[in-house]
């Protein structure tokens, strides 16, 4: 009996939300067991990975010349195949240490990726130790993870705002009716803050600082109580450390362009939605998932510009990983949403 349980644990599949900012791994039968930044610290002298995940993210902007902290995914797709393979292999070994069998794996990809980009994801999964890999589109996984009735003949609209891409999709009867994938998301908000502070205050910021500012001060519409905070960076004129004070109004102006692009993607998708499904969405609301769903006032901004009710998923950061995990748990029921399988 114990031997059977041990063998079954070896056969557990994995669902991976291979995100631009974070990678989440769902282990069949146990749930989400890993949530780490998609960062690898590499020794440039021999190409050896020195750290992966949270430990590597702490090194961003703080490494000597021969060590670089690399993000192997950009805009939701693999930018550095070799490093992505090493990162994925490391995460698989952490949650599935057995070498007696290779796990089956479901991996999420943005809905707008090309066939070549899908193939690269599957090849990376197989090279990292997967026995068989399936692909699921992120908006479909997000909808399943948010608890939407994707197999019902009703319109379900999901907006998944991640680190590299924003995925907008209308889903009905287990398929995506219409969708929009824009490579504007959390990273672009960070970059907009960096450029704004550089232009207005001649202050250089790092990626981590920009992300912290976005979380603390970022907003998509006017707040009831505007606040201010100190920011520390390097003065571009003197080269010395400098502290400034910025406000939520300034940061809102800084990120207005990417936020407007996200809102436009939602409006374009609604414009392409069949009338019957649009009526369903009007009744049930648009569901927001992903880290971008936590941007202050984004739900109010979308509600004002679309006229639709907006619902933020219960756990927006884990919706995609949980949804792809449900495909593993209920493979017979949800197999039709898996786009393709490996050879």
């Amino acid at each position: 009996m114990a031997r059977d349980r041990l063998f079954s644990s070896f056969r557990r599949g994995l669902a991976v939300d291979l995100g631009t900012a974070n990678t989440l791994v769902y282990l069949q039968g146990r749930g989400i067991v890993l949530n780490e930044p998609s960062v690898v610290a590499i020794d440039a002298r021999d190409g050896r990975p020195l750290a992966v995940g949270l430990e590597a993210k702490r090194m961003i902007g703080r490494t000597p010349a021969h060590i670089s902290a690399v993000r192997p995914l950009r805009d939701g797709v693999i930018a550095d195949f070799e490093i992505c393979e090493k990162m994925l292999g490391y995460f698989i070994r952490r949650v599935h240490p057995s070498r007696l069998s290779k796990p089956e794996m479901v991996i999420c990809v943005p809905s707008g990726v090309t066939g070549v980009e899908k193939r690269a994801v599957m090849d990376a999964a197989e090279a990292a130790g997967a026995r068989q890999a399936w692909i699921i589109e992120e908006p479909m996984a997000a909808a399943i993870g948010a608890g939407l009735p994707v197999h019902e003949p009703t319109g379900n609209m999901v907006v998944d705002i991640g680190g590299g891409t924003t995925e907008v999709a209308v889903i009905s009867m287990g398929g995506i009716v219409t969708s929009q994938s824009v490579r504007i998301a959390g990273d672009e908000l960070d970059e907009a803050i960096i450029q704004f502070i550089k232009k207005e205050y001649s202050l250089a910021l790092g990626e981590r600082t920009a992300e912290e500012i976005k979380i603390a001060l970022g907003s998509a519409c006017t707040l009831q109580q505007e606040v201010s905070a100190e920011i520390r960076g390097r003065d571009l004129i003197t080269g010395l450390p400098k502290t400034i004070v910025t406000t939520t109004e300034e940061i809102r102006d800084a990120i207005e362009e990417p936020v407007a692009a996200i809102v436009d993607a939602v409006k374009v998708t609604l414009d392409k939605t069949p009338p019957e499904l649009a009526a369903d969405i009007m009744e049930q609301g648009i569901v927001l998932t992903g880290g971008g769903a936590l941007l202050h006032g984004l739900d109010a901004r979308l509600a004002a510009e679309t006229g639709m009710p907006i619902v933020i998923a219960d756990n927006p950061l884990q919706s995609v990983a949980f949804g792809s995990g449900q495909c593993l748990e209920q493979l017979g029921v949800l197999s039709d949403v898996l786009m393709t399988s490996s050879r």
Side-chain angles (χ1 to χ4, degrees):
M1 185 72 73
R3 183 180 172 185
D4 291 343
R5 283 200 302 269
L6 184 64
F7 183 73
S8 66
S9 70
F10 292 154
R11 294 298 297 257
R12 280 178 179 163
L14 300 175
V16 181
D17 175 11
L18 194 60
T20 304
N22 294 284
T23 295
L24 287 80
V25 179
Y26 181 106
L27 179 61
Q28 190 174 3
R30 286 188 52 193
I32 295 171
V33 293
L34 183 140
N35 184 352
E36 295 264 354
S38 302
V39 184
V40 183
I42 298 291
D43 190 329
R45 295 171 296 191
D46 55 12
R48 184 168 48 92
L50 300 176
V52 180
L54 187 59
E55 188 180 348
K57 186 177 181 180
R58 292 196 189 104
M59 298 181 183
I60 293 177
R62 295 190 172 108
T63 58
H66 68 279
I67 297 175
S68 57
V70 179
R71 295 173 65 184
L73 291 108
R74 285 285 173 188
D75 299 329
V77 297
I78 296 174
D80 191 315
F81 182 86
E82 188 177 344
I83 294 177
C84 181
E85 178 195 324
K86 290 177 180 177
M87 179 185 77
L88 194 53
Y90 172 81
F91 289 148
I92 290 173
R93 287 191 298 274
R94 274 188 56 183
V95 301
H96 195 278
S98 169
R99 297 190 181 185
L100 299 181
S101 71
K102 295 182 176 182
E104 293 182 337
M105 196 179 300
V106 173
I107 301 187
C108 306
V109 297
S111 59
V113 300
T114 64
V116 173
E117 289 166 339
K118 289 177 195 170
R119 186 74 252 172
V121 170
M122 298 179 71
D123 287 346
E126 291 174 358
R131 176 163 58 93
Q132 188 173 23
W134 287 282
I135 296 291
I136 182 172
E137 292 181 316
E138 282 179 11
M140 179 62 79
I144 295 170
L148 296 180
V150 296
H151 281 92
E152 298 293 324
T154 57
N156 303 280
M157 188 168 186
V158 64
V159 181
D160 178 38
I161 308 168
T165 60
T166 294
E167 307 287 325
V168 187
V170 175
I171 298 167
S172 179
M173 294 293 292
I176 293 177
V177 178
T178 183
S179 67
Q180 186 87 354
S181 178
V182 293
R183 298 192 175 186
I184 296 173
D187 286 351
E188 279 64 34
L189 298 179
D190 296 344
E191 183 60 29
I193 291 170
I194 290 172
Q195 294 304 321
F196 174 82
I197 298 297
K198 180 179 179 180
K199 179 181 176 183
E200 293 295 318
Y201 295 98
S202 297
L203 195 73
L205 298 180
E207 289 180 18
R208 288 186 62 190
T209 304
E211 185 180 17
E212 289 167 2
I213 294 168
K214 175 183 68 179
I215 293 169
L217 300 178
S219 60
C221 64
T222 305
L223 304 176
Q224 287 186 347
Q225 184 175 5
E226 306 286 358
V227 297
S228 60
E230 289 186 345
I231 300 175
R232 295 179 180 84
R234 177 171 55 83
D235 192 314
L236 291 170
I237 299 172
T238 66
L240 299 174
K242 179 182 174 182
T243 300
I244 63 160
V245 176
T246 189
T247 64
T248 47
E249 295 103 318
E250 286 185 326
I251 300 303
R252 184 162 57 250
D253 289 343
I255 63 175
E256 172 57 28
E257 189 174 332
V259 167
I262 292 169
V263 173
D264 285 345
V266 176
K267 291 161 82 173
V268 167
T269 307
L270 279 170
D271 187 51
K272 296 189 294 183
T273 302
E276 290 82 2
L277 298 183
D280 293 337
I281 296 166
M282 175 64 82
E283 185 178 332
Q284 299 177 26
I286 299 171
V287 177
L288 302 186
T289 70
L294 301 175
L295 182 69
H296 300 300
L298 182 60
D299 51 345
R301 170 83 175 264
L302 281 169
E305 297 217 18
T306 64
M308 297 280 188
I310 307 296
V311 179
I312 298 175
D314 290 339
N315 196 340
L317 291 168
Q318 297 184 350
S319 293
V320 172
F322 187 72
S324 53
Q326 290 305 298
C327 291
L328 270 178
E329 303 285 4
Q330 305 176 48
L331 201 54
V333 178
L334 297 173
S335 59
D336 57 326
V337 304
L338 300 175
M339 289 161 51
T340 184
S341 66
S342 65
R343 56 188 179 274

